[in-house]
Amino acid sequence: MKLLVALLCGILFGLGLAVSQMINPAKVIGFLNVIGNWDPSLAFVMGGALTVMTIARIYILRRPAPLLESQFYLPEKRTLDRRLIIGAILFGIGWGTAGFCPGPALASIGIGGEKVLIFVVSMLVGTLLFNHFFHPKKYCCDY
């Protein structure tokens, strides 16, 4: 049941990204180009998503547990550190130069062509290298 719900959520997420054009790198770069010909339309997409999720989160966290789990798994760390800041900078550079972040890149892998494949392969290699160097025992057998 959990896998089916995860699949349905992934399909819904991918459809939302496609309908909102967040899988279109030109649209994303137009949104990020606040100095030039700025396209604010993705701000409305993100604002709508944040509004819905903020309201839903209030009701979800009132429950004793998620529907298909025995407990909530919420982040425990609440401080900014050097690794988080460097990661955010790298994420921003990748998003700004490629026009993709991980979700939209995966959602457009079948239609995006060579640029998307290069981005996704680079993202996966980066993830594997990070896990290898920073969590070698935790992920030693996952790849």
Side-chain angles (χ1 to χ4, degrees):
M1 187 63 165
K2 282 195 242 183
L3 288 175
L4 179 61
V5 170
L7 176 65
L8 293 174
C9 288
I11 291 169
L12 182 63
F13 180 66
L15 285 172
L17 292 172
V19 168
S20 67
Q21 294 188 36
M22 288 192 77
I23 63 172
N24 180 353
K27 187 84 165 166
V28 172
I29 290 173
F31 167 70
L32 295 173
N33 185 9
V34 294
I35 297 171
N37 189 17
W38 185 53
D39 178 0
S41 60
L42 292 184
F44 295 108
V45 171
M46 289 186 222
L50 284 170
T51 301
V52 169
M53 192 56 221
T54 300
I55 294 167
R57 189 174 195 268
I58 292 168
Y59 292 104
I60 290 168
L61 291 180
R62 287 183 181 166
R63 297 180 52 82
L67 294 176
L68 300 175
E69 273 295 337
S70 60
Q71 70 180 47
F72 285 105
Y73 296 96
L74 301 172
E76 295 174 7
K77 189 174 181 182
R78 301 201 182 269
T79 59
L80 297 176
D81 62 6
R82 188 169 46 107
R83 284 175 53 184
L84 177 64
I85 293 169
I86 291 170
I89 290 169
L90 289 172
F91 176 87
I93 290 169
W95 194 33
T97 57
F100 286 113
C101 63
L106 292 173
S108 63
I109 200 164
I111 59 170
E114 184 178 313
K115 185 178 178 183
V116 177
L117 290 175
I118 291 170
F119 181 87
V120 170
V121 168
S122 299
M123 180 179 68
L124 293 174
V125 168
T127 301
L128 292 172
L129 287 172
F130 175 84
N131 287 339
H132 177 74
F133 289 109
F134 292 100
H135 301 288
K137 294 192 183 335
K138 185 175 181 183
Y139 296 101
C140 71
C141 302
D142 290 349
Y143 54 91

